[in-house]
Amino acid sequence: PASMKTIGNYAFQNCTGMGYLEIAGDVTVAAKTTAGSPFKGSGISEITVKSGVTKIPARLYVEASALVRLNLPDTVSVIGSRAFDGANNVTVYYDGNEAEWKKITRNGFTPVEVVYAEEMTEPDSSGDEESTCELRKQPPLHKVRLLS
């Protein structure tokens, strides 16, 4: 709901069918340790953070080995400690440039690759399979949307 400000300990732990997470507002995580991480082991492979969000909370998604795509707006200024712990194969699609990315407090978060806005292209409407654009995969049916 729109009034949610905090995600409780263990809230979605081991809910392996989630697949996709959308964060539409600044929220905090109640977990004081990685054991209480709300999305620990949930199998989320893609996270989209909506424009206007400024901080990704610490310990949001621990044991995040399934995470391969993280869509971040240029409004994010802080990625909390261990926010995506274990995400060793994640590519960030950042809606800003490299200079702006370098200003984000990342607390040790190091993606495999960062794709900046100027490197992204719109899908080719000609239907040409040879298109070099990055096509966004459709999220699975199980989707969680966090609002502030």
Side-chain angles (χ1 to χ4, degrees), residues 90-103:
V90 66
T91 297
V92 171
Y93 292 84
Y94 180 63
D95 196 25
N97 59 43
E98 186 175 4
E100 293 167 325
W101 171 255
K102 288 181 177 180
K103 292 178 184 177

Side-chain angles (χ1 to χ4, degrees), residues 24-116:
D26 284 326
V27 294
T28 58
V29 171
K32 301 294 183 214
T33 67
T34 56
S37 173
F39 297 99
K40 182 178 179 179
S42 66
I44 296 171
S45 60
E46 180 175 349
I47 296 175
T48 296
V49 179
K50 295 295 194 175
S51 184
V53 173
T54 59
K55 182 179 179 183
I56 307 298
R59 295 171 297 282
L60 177 69
Y61 183 16
V62 176
E63 294 181 17
S65 61
L67 186 63
V68 293
R69 183 178 181 121
L70 177 59
N71 305 302
L72 287 179
D74 58 1
T75 57
V76 170
S77 60
V78 175
I79 298 174
S81 175
R82 302 185 84 177
F84 305 108
D85 196 40
N88 299 323
N89 295 307
V90 66
T91 297
V92 171
Y93 292 84
Y94 180 63
D95 196 25
N97 59 43
E98 186 175 4
E100 293 167 325
W101 171 255
K102 288 181 177 180
K103 292 178 184 177
I104 296 174
T105 302
R106 295 190 302 273
N107 291 299
F109 173 63
T110 308
V112 171
E113 179 182 12
V114 178
V115 178
Y116 303 102

